[in-house]
Amino acid sequence: NPAVTIDGISRTIDLLYRDVNQLTSVSSDFSTKTWLTGLSYGYPVGERQEVRFGGSWQHVEFATTAFSSTQLQDWVAQNGRPIAATVAGIDFVGTRYEAFELNAAYVFDSRDRTLFPTSGTMHRLSLSATVPGSQVEYFVADYLAQQFFRVPLPLLRRVPLSFSTRISYAQPFGDTTAVPPNRNFYLGGPDSVRGFEEATLGPRDSLGNPYGGDFAISGQFEALLPMPQKYQTSARLSAFVDFGQTYYVGGTKFRDRAGFPVDYSFDLGEMRASPGLAVQWLAPL
């Protein structure tokens, strides 16, 4: 509800059930079931700013098999309430936990429109953390910024340029050994670093499959190419350069398939980039 009161306070109610067989389409065996309910409020601070506060309760179940990576098997054995079962002759080892998560966010948005903007600035800082004493304890911070500008040159002044960047970080605390695998960050694909297969940048587990990271940096530089007037609000053509990488700065240990240690700590030299052309279209569905 975007206007609970005449002052413009908004309210969001979340009810969610998610059943995922794999973290990504190319990941190790790792099923995840999540039940979540949440409530949050948004408070306008001036014409272009908003602060948001809320919380959620979630019940999460993880399951691994003998074919899962050692990183996934170790996490379920060391966190939450470990369980074991045999179904159709297959042994499963998993864990389950309940967590109450608090979240807050600050948003500044001066863009001319939300979909296909051409001018303005947007900043969004989001923070969330489980309540101390939860069965699994962690916090997540995420910062997203986007800036539009124009170059005062005759041939370029009519071409809007944009630069966006996103920085994400998660860390466990208390007795939790690492961030839950489903809360890791993934980069690669049309929504982050175009030109790379979806979710494939960064750490890989003992089977060579994408594992995600607890620290991620990405960015996009785009030149919005001219479009006919009637298509400017429903389609976009751009030339871009994307960059990004995910890292693991926590305590999880990684080894390659030969058993040798692999270091996925922060290193700008591991950053990946990709140039290209993009076409976006708002389908009327």
mmCIF file with all atom_site columns, all heavy atoms in Angstrom, residues 153-179:
data_model
loop_
_atom_site.group_PDB
_atom_site.id
_atom_site.type_symbol
_atom_site.label_atom_id
_atom_site.label_alt_id
_atom_site.label_comp_id
_atom_site.label_asym_id
_atom_site.label_entity_id
_atom_site.label_seq_id
_atom_site.pdbx_PDB_ins_code
_atom_site.Cartn_x
_atom_site.Cartn_y
_atom_site.Cartn_z
_atom_site.occupancy
_atom_site.B_iso_or_equiv
_atom_site.pdbx_formal_charge
_atom_site.auth_seq_id
_atom_site.auth_comp_id
_atom_site.auth_asym_id
_atom_site.auth_atom_id
_atom_site.pdbx_PDB_model_num
ATOM 1   N N   . LEU A 1 153 ? 29.438 18.218  -25.624 1.00 0.00 ? 153 LEU A N   1
ATOM 2   C CA  . LEU A 1 153 ? 30.068 18.244  -26.946 1.00 0.00 ? 153 LEU A CA  1
ATOM 3   C C   . LEU A 1 153 ? 28.970 18.159  -28.003 1.00 0.00 ? 153 LEU A C   1
ATOM 4   O O   . LEU A 1 153 ? 27.956 17.479  -27.784 1.00 0.00 ? 153 LEU A O   1
ATOM 5   C CB  . LEU A 1 153 ? 31.047 17.081  -27.100 1.00 0.00 ? 153 LEU A CB  1
ATOM 6   C CG  . LEU A 1 153 ? 32.269 17.087  -26.164 1.00 0.00 ? 153 LEU A CG  1
ATOM 7   C CD1 . LEU A 1 153 ? 33.080 15.819  -26.360 1.00 0.00 ? 153 LEU A CD1 1
ATOM 8   C CD2 . LEU A 1 153 ? 33.133 18.313  -26.409 1.00 0.00 ? 153 LEU A CD2 1
ATOM 9   N N   . PRO A 1 154 ? 29.148 18.810  -29.141 1.00 0.00 ? 154 PRO A N   1
ATOM 10  C CA  . PRO A 1 154 ? 28.080 18.874  -30.151 1.00 0.00 ? 154 PRO A CA  1
ATOM 11  C C   . PRO A 1 154 ? 27.498 17.517  -30.532 1.00 0.00 ? 154 PRO A C   1
ATOM 12  O O   . PRO A 1 154 ? 26.291 17.377  -30.673 1.00 0.00 ? 154 PRO A O   1
ATOM 13  C CB  . PRO A 1 154 ? 28.774 19.548  -31.335 1.00 0.00 ? 154 PRO A CB  1
ATOM 14  C CG  . PRO A 1 154 ? 29.860 20.363  -30.720 1.00 0.00 ? 154 PRO A CG  1
ATOM 15  C CD  . PRO A 1 154 ? 30.336 19.589  -29.547 1.00 0.00 ? 154 PRO A CD  1
ATOM 16  N N   . LEU A 1 155 ? 28.340 16.519  -30.710 1.00 0.00 ? 155 LEU A N   1
ATOM 17  C CA  . LEU A 1 155 ? 27.859 15.223  -31.166 1.00 0.00 ? 155 LEU A CA  1
ATOM 18  C C   . LEU A 1 155 ? 27.338 14.333  -30.036 1.00 0.00 ? 155 LEU A C   1
ATOM 19  O O   . LEU A 1 155 ? 26.700 13.312  -30.305 1.00 0.00 ? 155 LEU A O   1
ATOM 20  C CB  . LEU A 1 155 ? 28.973 14.491  -31.924 1.00 0.00 ? 155 LEU A CB  1
ATOM 21  C CG  . LEU A 1 155 ? 29.454 15.156  -33.220 1.00 0.00 ? 155 LEU A CG  1
ATOM 22  C CD1 . LEU A 1 155 ? 30.579 14.335  -33.838 1.00 0.00 ? 155 LEU A CD1 1
ATOM 23  C CD2 . LEU A 1 155 ? 28.307 15.313  -34.210 1.00 0.00 ? 155 LEU A CD2 1
ATOM 24  N N   . LEU A 1 156 ? 27.613 14.694  -28.786 1.00 0.00 ? 156 LEU A N   1
ATOM 25  C CA  . LEU A 1 156 ? 27.266 13.820  -27.659 1.00 0.00 ? 156 LEU A CA  1
ATOM 26  C C   . LEU A 1 156 ? 26.247 14.418  -26.699 1.00 0.00 ? 156 LEU A C   1
ATOM 27  O O   . LEU A 1 156 ? 25.737 13.699  -25.837 1.00 0.00 ? 156 LEU A O   1
ATOM 28  C CB  . LEU A 1 156 ? 28.536 13.456  -26.878 1.00 0.00 ? 156 LEU A CB  1
ATOM 29  C CG  . LEU A 1 156 ? 29.596 12.658  -27.636 1.00 0.00 ? 156 LEU A CG  1
ATOM 30  C CD1 . LEU A 1 156 ? 30.820 12.442  -26.760 1.00 0.00 ? 156 LEU A CD1 1
ATOM 31  C CD2 . LEU A 1 156 ? 29.043 11.323  -28.103 1.00 0.00 ? 156 LEU A CD2 1
ATOM 32  N N   . ARG A 1 157 ? 25.945 15.700  -26.831 1.00 0.00 ? 157 ARG A N   1
ATOM 33  C CA  . ARG A 1 157 ? 25.096 16.341  -25.834 1.00 0.00 ? 157 ARG A CA  1
ATOM 34  C C   . ARG A 1 157 ? 23.683 15.753  -25.804 1.00 0.00 ? 157 ARG A C   1
ATOM 35  O O   . ARG A 1 157 ? 22.984 15.881  -24.800 1.00 0.00 ? 157 ARG A O   1
ATOM 36  C CB  . ARG A 1 157 ? 25.041 17.843  -26.078 1.00 0.00 ? 157 ARG A CB  1
ATOM 37  C CG  . ARG A 1 157 ? 24.343 18.257  -27.372 1.00 0.00 ? 157 ARG A CG  1
ATOM 38  C CD  . ARG A 1 157 ? 24.328 19.758  -27.541 1.00 0.00 ? 157 ARG A CD  1
ATOM 39  N NE  . ARG A 1 157 ? 25.681 20.289  -27.610 1.00 0.00 ? 157 ARG A NE  1
ATOM 40  C CZ  . ARG A 1 157 ? 25.959 21.576  -27.786 1.00 0.00 ? 157 ARG A CZ  1
ATOM 41  N NH1 . ARG A 1 157 ? 24.971 22.460  -27.902 1.00 0.00 ? 157 ARG A NH1 1
ATOM 42  N NH2 . ARG A 1 157 ? 27.214 21.975  -27.860 1.00 0.00 ? 157 ARG A NH2 1
ATOM 43  N N   . ARG A 1 158 ? 23.260 15.120  -26.908 1.00 0.00 ? 158 ARG A N   1
ATOM 44  C CA  . ARG A 1 158 ? 21.926 14.527  -26.942 1.00 0.00 ? 158 ARG A CA  1
ATOM 45  C C   . ARG A 1 158 ? 21.930 13.047  -26.561 1.00 0.00 ? 158 ARG A C   1
ATOM 46  O O   . ARG A 1 158 ? 20.891 12.388  -26.629 1.00 0.00 ? 158 ARG A O   1
ATOM 47  C CB  . ARG A 1 158 ? 21.325 14.691  -28.339 1.00 0.00 ? 158 ARG A CB  1
ATOM 48  C CG  . ARG A 1 158 ? 21.150 16.148  -28.772 1.00 0.00 ? 158 ARG A CG  1
ATOM 49  C CD  . ARG A 1 158 ? 20.466 16.244  -30.125 1.00 0.00 ? 158 ARG A CD  1
ATOM 50  N NE  . ARG A 1 158 ? 19.150 15.603  -30.103 1.00 0.00 ? 158 ARG A NE  1
ATOM 51  C CZ  . ARG A 1 158 ? 18.372 15.467  -31.179 1.00 0.00 ? 158 ARG A CZ  1
ATOM 52  N NH1 . ARG A 1 158 ? 18.796 15.903  -32.354 1.00 0.00 ? 158 ARG A NH1 1
ATOM 53  N NH2 . ARG A 1 158 ? 17.196 14.893  -31.084 1.00 0.00 ? 158 ARG A NH2 1
ATOM 54  N N   . VAL A 1 159 ? 23.087 12.548  -26.162 1.00 0.00 ? 159 VAL A N   1
ATOM 55  C CA  . VAL A 1 159 ? 23.201 11.137  -25.774 1.00 0.00 ? 159 VAL A CA  1
ATOM 56  C C   . VAL A 1 159 ? 23.353 11.041  -24.262 1.00 0.00 ? 159 VAL A C   1
ATOM 57  O O   . VAL A 1 159 ? 24.414 11.348  -23.721 1.00 0.00 ? 159 VAL A O   1
ATOM 58  C CB  . VAL A 1 159 ? 24.409 10.461  -26.463 1.00 0.00 ? 159 VAL A CB  1
ATOM 59  C CG1 . VAL A 1 159 ? 24.533 9.006   -26.023 1.00 0.00 ? 159 VAL A CG1 1
ATOM 60  C CG2 . VAL A 1 159 ? 24.276 10.553  -27.972 1.00 0.00 ? 159 VAL A CG2 1
ATOM 61  N N   . PRO A 1 160 ? 22.306 10.642  -23.541 1.00 0.00 ? 160 PRO A N   1
ATOM 62  C CA  . PRO A 1 160 ? 22.438 10.480  -22.083 1.00 0.00 ? 160 PRO A CA  1
ATOM 63  C C   . PRO A 1 160 ? 23.428 9.361   -21.751 1.00 0.00 ? 160 PRO A C   1
ATOM 64  O O   . PRO A 1 160 ? 23.418 8.298   -22.373 1.00 0.00 ? 160 PRO A O   1
ATOM 65  C CB  . PRO A 1 160 ? 21.021 10.113  -21.631 1.00 0.00 ? 160 PRO A CB  1
ATOM 66  C CG  . PRO A 1 160 ? 20.130 10.537  -22.758 1.00 0.00 ? 160 PRO A CG  1
ATOM 67  C CD  . PRO A 1 160 ? 20.941 10.361  -24.007 1.00 0.00 ? 160 PRO A CD  1
ATOM 68  N N   . LEU A 1 161 ? 24.267 9.633   -20.776 1.00 0.00 ? 161 LEU A N   1
ATOM 69  C CA  . LEU A 1 161 ? 25.208 8.633   -20.284 1.00 0.00 ? 161 LEU A CA  1
ATOM 70  C C   . LEU A 1 161 ? 24.833 8.283   -18.852 1.00 0.00 ? 161 LEU A C   1
ATOM 71  O O   . LEU A 1 161 ? 24.327 9.128   -18.096 1.00 0.00 ? 161 LEU A O   1
ATOM 72  C CB  . LEU A 1 161 ? 26.636 9.176   -20.330 1.00 0.00 ? 161 LEU A CB  1
ATOM 73  C CG  . LEU A 1 161 ? 27.138 9.681   -21.681 1.00 0.00 ? 161 LEU A CG  1
ATOM 74  C CD1 . LEU A 1 161 ? 28.526 10.287  -21.536 1.00 0.00 ? 161 LEU A CD1 1
ATOM 75  C CD2 . LEU A 1 161 ? 27.142 8.566   -22.717 1.00 0.00 ? 161 LEU A CD2 1
ATOM 76  N N   . SER A 1 162 ? 25.082 7.062   -18.465 1.00 0.00 ? 162 SER A N   1
ATOM 77  C CA  . SER A 1 162 ? 24.785 6.653   -17.087 1.00 0.00 ? 162 SER A CA  1
ATOM 78  C C   . SER A 1 162 ? 25.914 5.794   -16.542 1.00 0.00 ? 162 SER A C   1
ATOM 79  O O   . SER A 1 162 ? 26.553 5.042   -17.278 1.00 0.00 ? 162 SER A O   1
ATOM 80  C CB  . SER A 1 162 ? 23.465 5.882   -17.017 1.00 0.00 ? 162 SER A CB  1
ATOM 81  O OG  . SER A 1 162 ? 23.604 4.574   -17.524 1.00 0.00 ? 162 SER A OG  1
ATOM 82  N N   . PHE A 1 163 ? 26.130 5.939   -15.251 1.00 0.00 ? 163 PHE A N   1
ATOM 83  C CA  . PHE A 1 163 ? 27.087 5.088   -14.541 1.00 0.00 ? 163 PHE A CA  1
ATOM 84  C C   . PHE A 1 163 ? 26.404 4.588   -13.281 1.00 0.00 ? 163 PHE A C   1
ATOM 85  O O   . PHE A 1 163 ? 25.835 5.367   -12.518 1.00 0.00 ? 163 PHE A O   1
ATOM 86  C CB  . PHE A 1 163 ? 28.356 5.847   -14.171 1.00 0.00 ? 163 PHE A CB  1
ATOM 87  C CG  . PHE A 1 163 ? 29.333 5.006   -13.384 1.00 0.00 ? 163 PHE A CG  1
ATOM 88  C CD1 . PHE A 1 163 ? 30.111 4.056   -14.014 1.00 0.00 ? 163 PHE A CD1 1
ATOM 89  C CD2 . PHE A 1 163 ? 29.440 5.159   -12.011 1.00 0.00 ? 163 PHE A CD2 1
ATOM 90  C CE1 . PHE A 1 163 ? 30.999 3.267   -13.290 1.00 0.00 ? 163 PHE A CE1 1
ATOM 91  C CE2 . PHE A 1 163 ? 30.316 4.380   -11.274 1.00 0.00 ? 163 PHE A CE2 1
ATOM 92  C CZ  . PHE A 1 163 ? 31.103 3.428   -11.917 1.00 0.00 ? 163 PHE A CZ  1
ATOM 93  N N   . SER A 1 164 ? 26.442 3.293   -13.074 1.00 0.00 ? 164 SER A N   1
ATOM 94  C CA  . SER A 1 164 ? 25.866 2.705   -11.865 1.00 0.00 ? 164 SER A CA  1
ATOM 95  C C   . SER A 1 164 ? 26.868 1.761   -11.234 1.00 0.00 ? 164 SER A C   1
ATOM 96  O O   . SER A 1 164 ? 27.700 1.160   -11.917 1.00 0.00 ? 164 SER A O   1
ATOM 97  C CB  . SER A 1 164 ? 24.564 1.959   -12.190 1.00 0.00 ? 164 SER A CB  1
ATOM 98  O OG  . SER A 1 164 ? 24.804 0.889   -13.084 1.00 0.00 ? 164 SER A OG  1
ATOM 99  N N   . THR A 1 165 ? 26.786 1.639   -9.931  1.00 0.00 ? 165 THR A N   1
ATOM 100 C CA  . THR A 1 165 ? 27.673 0.727   -9.205  1.00 0.00 ? 165 THR A CA  1
ATOM 101 C C   . THR A 1 165 ? 26.914 0.107   -8.051  1.00 0.00 ? 165 THR A C   1
ATOM 102 O O   . THR A 1 165 ? 25.972 0.714   -7.497  1.00 0.00 ? 165 THR A O   1
ATOM 103 C CB  . THR A 1 165 ? 28.925 1.460   -8.683  1.00 0.00 ? 165 THR A CB  1
ATOM 104 O OG1 . THR A 1 165 ? 29.817 0.513   -8.081  1.00 0.00 ? 165 THR A OG1 1
ATOM 105 C CG2 . THR A 1 165 ? 28.554 2.509   -7.653  1.00 0.00 ? 165 THR A CG2 1
ATOM 106 N N   . ARG A 1 166 ? 27.305 -1.102  -7.697  1.00 0.00 ? 166 ARG A N   1
ATOM 107 C CA  . ARG A 1 166 ? 26.658 -1.814  -6.592  1.00 0.00 ? 166 ARG A CA  1
ATOM 108 C C   . ARG A 1 166 ? 27.722 -2.536  -5.774  1.00 0.00 ? 166 ARG A C   1
ATOM 109 O O   . ARG A 1 166 ? 28.598 -3.209  -6.340  1.00 0.00 ? 166 ARG A O   1
ATOM 110 C CB  . ARG A 1 166 ? 25.627 -2.816  -7.118  1.00 0.00 ? 166 ARG A CB  1
ATOM 111 C CG  . ARG A 1 166 ? 24.825 -3.491  -6.018  1.00 0.00 ? 166 ARG A CG  1
ATOM 112 C CD  . ARG A 1 166 ? 23.618 -4.196  -6.588  1.00 0.00 ? 166 ARG A CD  1
ATOM 113 N NE  . ARG A 1 166 ? 22.703 -4.631  -5.533  1.00 0.00 ? 166 ARG A NE  1
ATOM 114 C CZ  . ARG A 1 166 ? 21.478 -5.105  -5.750  1.00 0.00 ? 166 ARG A CZ  1
ATOM 115 N NH1 . ARG A 1 166 ? 21.041 -5.207  -7.011  1.00 0.00 ? 166 ARG A NH1 1
ATOM 116 N NH2 . ARG A 1 166 ? 20.715 -5.475  -4.741  1.00 0.00 ? 166 ARG A NH2 1
ATOM 117 N N   . ILE A 1 167 ? 27.640 -2.375  -4.470  1.00 0.00 ? 167 ILE A N   1
ATOM 118 C CA  . ILE A 1 167 ? 28.571 -3.022  -3.543  1.00 0.00 ? 167 ILE A CA  1
ATOM 119 C C   . ILE A 1 167 ? 27.745 -3.776  -2.508  1.00 0.00 ? 167 ILE A C   1
ATOM 120 O O   . ILE A 1 167 ? 26.857 -3.188  -1.865  1.00 0.00 ? 167 ILE A O   1
ATOM 121 C CB  . ILE A 1 167 ? 29.491 -1.998  -2.851  1.00 0.00 ? 167 ILE A CB  1
ATOM 122 C CG1 . ILE A 1 167 ? 30.265 -1.186  -3.896  1.00 0.00 ? 167 ILE A CG1 1
ATOM 123 C CG2 . ILE A 1 167 ? 30.453 -2.702  -1.906  1.00 0.00 ? 167 ILE A CG2 1
ATOM 124 C CD1 . ILE A 1 167 ? 31.080 -0.059  -3.296  1.00 0.00 ? 167 ILE A CD1 1
ATOM 125 N N   . SER A 1 168 ? 28.029 -5.051  -2.323  1.00 0.00 ? 168 SER A N   1
ATOM 126 C CA  . SER A 1 168 ? 27.274 -5.886  -1.392  1.00 0.00 ? 168 SER A CA  1
ATOM 127 C C   . SER A 1 168 ? 28.236 -6.642  -0.488  1.00 0.00 ? 168 SER A C   1
ATOM 128 O O   . SER A 1 168 ? 29.281 -7.120  -0.944  1.00 0.00 ? 168 SER A O   1
ATOM 129 C CB  . SER A 1 168 ? 26.388 -6.882  -2.149  1.00 0.00 ? 168 SER A CB  1
ATOM 130 O OG  . SER A 1 168 ? 25.536 -6.222  -3.072  1.00 0.00 ? 168 SER A OG  1
ATOM 131 N N   . TYR A 1 169 ? 27.850 -6.753  0.784   1.00 0.00 ? 169 TYR A N   1
ATOM 132 C CA  . TYR A 1 169 ? 28.721 -7.425  1.756   1.00 0.00 ? 169 TYR A CA  1
ATOM 133 C C   . TYR A 1 169 ? 27.861 -8.130  2.792   1.00 0.00 ? 169 TYR A C   1
ATOM 134 O O   . TYR A 1 169 ? 26.851 -7.592  3.257   1.00 0.00 ? 169 TYR A O   1
ATOM 135 C CB  . TYR A 1 169 ? 29.633 -6.408  2.437   1.00 0.00 ? 169 TYR A CB  1
ATOM 136 C CG  . TYR A 1 169 ? 30.505 -6.992  3.530   1.00 0.00 ? 169 TYR A CG  1
ATOM 137 C CD1 . TYR A 1 169 ? 31.514 -7.909  3.231   1.00 0.00 ? 169 TYR A CD1 1
ATOM 138 C CD2 . TYR A 1 169 ? 30.328 -6.622  4.861   1.00 0.00 ? 169 TYR A CD2 1
ATOM 139 C CE1 . TYR A 1 169 ? 32.305 -8.456  4.220   1.00 0.00 ? 169 TYR A CE1 1
ATOM 140 C CE2 . TYR A 1 169 ? 31.122 -7.161  5.859   1.00 0.00 ? 169 TYR A CE2 1
ATOM 141 C CZ  . TYR A 1 169 ? 32.112 -8.079  5.543   1.00 0.00 ? 169 TYR A CZ  1
ATOM 142 O OH  . TYR A 1 169 ? 32.897 -8.622  6.527   1.00 0.00 ? 169 TYR A OH  1
ATOM 143 N N   . ALA A 1 170 ? 28.252 -9.342  3.149   1.00 0.00 ? 170 ALA A N   1
ATOM 144 C CA  . ALA A 1 170 ? 27.543 -10.113 4.173   1.00 0.00 ? 170 ALA A CA  1
ATOM 145 C C   . ALA A 1 170 ? 28.557 -10.752 5.104   1.00 0.00 ? 170 ALA A C   1
ATOM 146 O O   . ALA A 1 170 ? 29.653 -11.142 4.665   1.00 0.00 ? 170 ALA A O   1
ATOM 147 C CB  . ALA A 1 170 ? 26.666 -11.185 3.529   1.00 0.00 ? 170 ALA A CB  1
ATOM 148 N N   . GLN A 1 171 ? 28.198 -10.879 6.373   1.00 0.00 ? 171 GLN A N   1
ATOM 149 C CA  . GLN A 1 171 ? 29.118 -11.456 7.346   1.00 0.00 ? 171 GLN A CA  1
ATOM 150 C C   . GLN A 1 171 ? 28.330 -12.151 8.447   1.00 0.00 ? 171 GLN A C   1
ATOM 151 O O   . GLN A 1 171 ? 27.319 -11.631 8.928   1.00 0.00 ? 171 GLN A O   1
ATOM 152 C CB  . GLN A 1 171 ? 30.008 -10.377 7.956   1.00 0.00 ? 171 GLN A CB  1
ATOM 153 C CG  . GLN A 1 171 ? 31.007 -10.905 8.982   1.00 0.00 ? 171 GLN A CG  1
ATOM 154 C CD  . GLN A 1 171 ? 31.935 -9.817  9.503   1.00 0.00 ? 171 GLN A CD  1
ATOM 155 O OE1 . GLN A 1 171 ? 32.385 -8.961  8.760   1.00 0.00 ? 171 GLN A OE1 1
ATOM 156 N NE2 . GLN A 1 171 ? 32.206 -9.838  10.804  1.00 0.00 ? 171 GLN A NE2 1
ATOM 157 N N   . PRO A 1 172 ? 28.782 -13.337 8.871   1.00 0.00 ? 172 PRO A N   1
ATOM 158 C CA  . PRO A 1 172 ? 28.133 -14.006 10.005  1.00 0.00 ? 172 PRO A CA  1
ATOM 159 C C   . PRO A 1 172 ? 28.640 -13.442 11.322  1.00 0.00 ? 172 PRO A C   1
ATOM 160 O O   . PRO A 1 172 ? 29.672 -12.773 11.377  1.00 0.00 ? 172 PRO A O   1
ATOM 161 C CB  . PRO A 1 172 ? 28.575 -15.462 9.825   1.00 0.00 ? 172 PRO A CB  1
ATOM 162 C CG  . PRO A 1 172 ? 29.955 -15.329 9.232   1.00 0.00 ? 172 PRO A CG  1
ATOM 163 C CD  . PRO A 1 172 ? 29.889 -14.129 8.314   1.00 0.00 ? 172 PRO A CD  1
ATOM 164 N N   . PHE A 1 173 ? 27.906 -13.708 12.380  1.00 0.00 ? 173 PHE A N   1
ATOM 165 C CA  . PHE A 1 173 ? 28.400 -13.380 13.714  1.00 0.00 ? 173 PHE A CA  1
ATOM 166 C C   . PHE A 1 173 ? 27.873 -14.421 14.697  1.00 0.00 ? 173 PHE A C   1
ATOM 167 O O   . PHE A 1 173 ? 27.079 -15.293 14.329  1.00 0.00 ? 173 PHE A O   1
ATOM 168 C CB  . PHE A 1 173 ? 28.027 -11.953 14.128  1.00 0.00 ? 173 PHE A CB  1
ATOM 169 C CG  . PHE A 1 173 ? 26.555 -11.657 14.181  1.00 0.00 ? 173 PHE A CG  1
ATOM 170 C CD1 . PHE A 1 173 ? 25.816 -11.857 15.335  1.00 0.00 ? 173 PHE A CD1 1
ATOM 171 C CD2 . PHE A 1 173 ? 25.900 -11.148 13.062  1.00 0.00 ? 173 PHE A CD2 1
ATOM 172 C CE1 . PHE A 1 173 ? 24.465 -11.578 15.386  1.00 0.00 ? 173 PHE A CE1 1
ATOM 173 C CE2 . PHE A 1 173 ? 24.544 -10.863 13.092  1.00 0.00 ? 173 PHE A CE2 1
ATOM 174 C CZ  . PHE A 1 173 ? 23.830 -11.075 14.265  1.00 0.00 ? 173 PHE A CZ  1
ATOM 175 N N   . GLY A 1 174 ? 28.322 -14.347 15.935  1.00 0.00 ? 174 GLY A N   1
ATOM 176 C CA  . GLY A 1 174 ? 27.956 -15.364 16.908  1.00 0.00 ? 174 GLY A CA  1
ATOM 177 C C   . GLY A 1 174 ? 28.625 -16.689 16.587  1.00 0.00 ? 174 GLY A C   1
ATOM 178 O O   . GLY A 1 174 ? 29.789 -16.740 16.186  1.00 0.00 ? 174 GLY A O   1
ATOM 179 N N   . ASP A 1 175 ? 27.872 -17.777 16.723  1.00 0.00 ? 175 ASP A N   1
ATOM 180 C CA  . ASP A 1 175 ? 28.416 -19.112 16.463  1.00 0.00 ? 175 ASP A CA  1
ATOM 181 C C   . ASP A 1 175 ? 28.267 -19.550 15.011  1.00 0.00 ? 175 ASP A C   1
ATOM 182 O O   . ASP A 1 175 ? 28.686 -20.650 14.646  1.00 0.00 ? 175 ASP A O   1
ATOM 183 C CB  . ASP A 1 175 ? 27.718 -20.133 17.364  1.00 0.00 ? 175 ASP A CB  1
ATOM 184 C CG  . ASP A 1 175 ? 28.013 -19.903 18.845  1.00 0.00 ? 175 ASP A CG  1
ATOM 185 O OD1 . ASP A 1 175 ? 29.120 -19.397 19.135  1.00 0.00 ? 175 ASP A OD1 1
ATOM 186 O OD2 . ASP A 1 175 ? 27.144 -20.206 19.682  1.00 0.00 ? 175 ASP A OD2 1
ATOM 187 N N   . THR A 1 176 ? 27.673 -18.730 14.173  1.00 0.00 ? 176 THR A N   1
ATOM 188 C CA  . THR A 1 176 ? 27.483 -19.090 12.765  1.00 0.00 ? 176 THR A CA  1
ATOM 189 C C   . THR A 1 176 ? 28.822 -19.050 12.034  1.00 0.00 ? 176 THR A C   1
ATOM 190 O O   . THR A 1 176 ? 29.562 -18.070 12.134  1.00 0.00 ? 176 THR A O   1
ATOM 191 C CB  . THR A 1 176 ? 26.491 -18.124 12.094  1.00 0.00 ? 176 THR A CB  1
ATOM 192 O OG1 . THR A 1 176 ? 25.251 -18.151 12.824  1.00 0.00 ? 176 THR A OG1 1
ATOM 193 C CG2 . THR A 1 176 ? 26.246 -18.506 10.653  1.00 0.00 ? 176 THR A CG2 1
ATOM 194 N N   . THR A 1 177 ? 29.155 -20.112 11.321  1.00 0.00 ? 177 THR A N   1
ATOM 195 C CA  . THR A 1 177 ? 30.481 -20.227 10.707  1.00 0.00 ? 177 THR A CA  1
ATOM 196 C C   . THR A 1 177 ? 30.610 -19.423 9.415   1.00 0.00 ? 177 THR A C   1
ATOM 197 O O   . THR A 1 177 ? 31.698 -18.978 9.068   1.00 0.00 ? 177 THR A O   1
ATOM 198 C CB  . THR A 1 177 ? 30.809 -21.693 10.399  1.00 0.00 ? 177 THR A CB  1
ATOM 199 O OG1 . THR A 1 177 ? 29.839 -22.214 9.474   1.00 0.00 ? 177 THR A OG1 1
ATOM 200 C CG2 . THR A 1 177 ? 30.772 -22.532 11.679  1.00 0.00 ? 177 THR A CG2 1
ATOM 201 N N   . ALA A 1 178 ? 29.503 -19.250 8.679   1.00 0.00 ? 178 ALA A N   1
ATOM 202 C CA  . ALA A 1 178 ? 29.535 -18.519 7.411   1.00 0.00 ? 178 ALA A CA  1
ATOM 203 C C   . ALA A 1 178 ? 28.119 -18.083 7.064   1.00 0.00 ? 178 ALA A C   1
ATOM 204 O O   . ALA A 1 178 ? 27.136 -18.593 7.619   1.00 0.00 ? 178 ALA A O   1
ATOM 205 C CB  . ALA A 1 178 ? 30.112 -19.383 6.292   1.00 0.00 ? 178 ALA A CB  1
ATOM 206 N N   . VAL A 1 179 ? 28.019 -17.142 6.159   1.00 0.00 ? 179 VAL A N   1
ATOM 207 C CA  . VAL A 1 179 ? 26.716 -16.688 5.698   1.00 0.00 ? 179 VAL A CA  1
ATOM 208 C C   . VAL A 1 179 ? 25.979 -17.860 5.061   1.00 0.00 ? 179 VAL A C   1
ATOM 209 O O   . VAL A 1 179 ? 26.597 -18.681 4.362   1.00 0.00 ? 179 VAL A O   1
ATOM 210 C CB  . VAL A 1 179 ? 26.893 -15.541 4.677   1.00 0.00 ? 179 VAL A CB  1
ATOM 211 C CG1 . VAL A 1 179 ? 25.548 -15.092 4.114   1.00 0.00 ? 179 VAL A CG1 1
ATOM 212 C CG2 . VAL A 1 179 ? 27.624 -14.379 5.314   1.00 0.00 ? 179 VAL A CG2 1
#
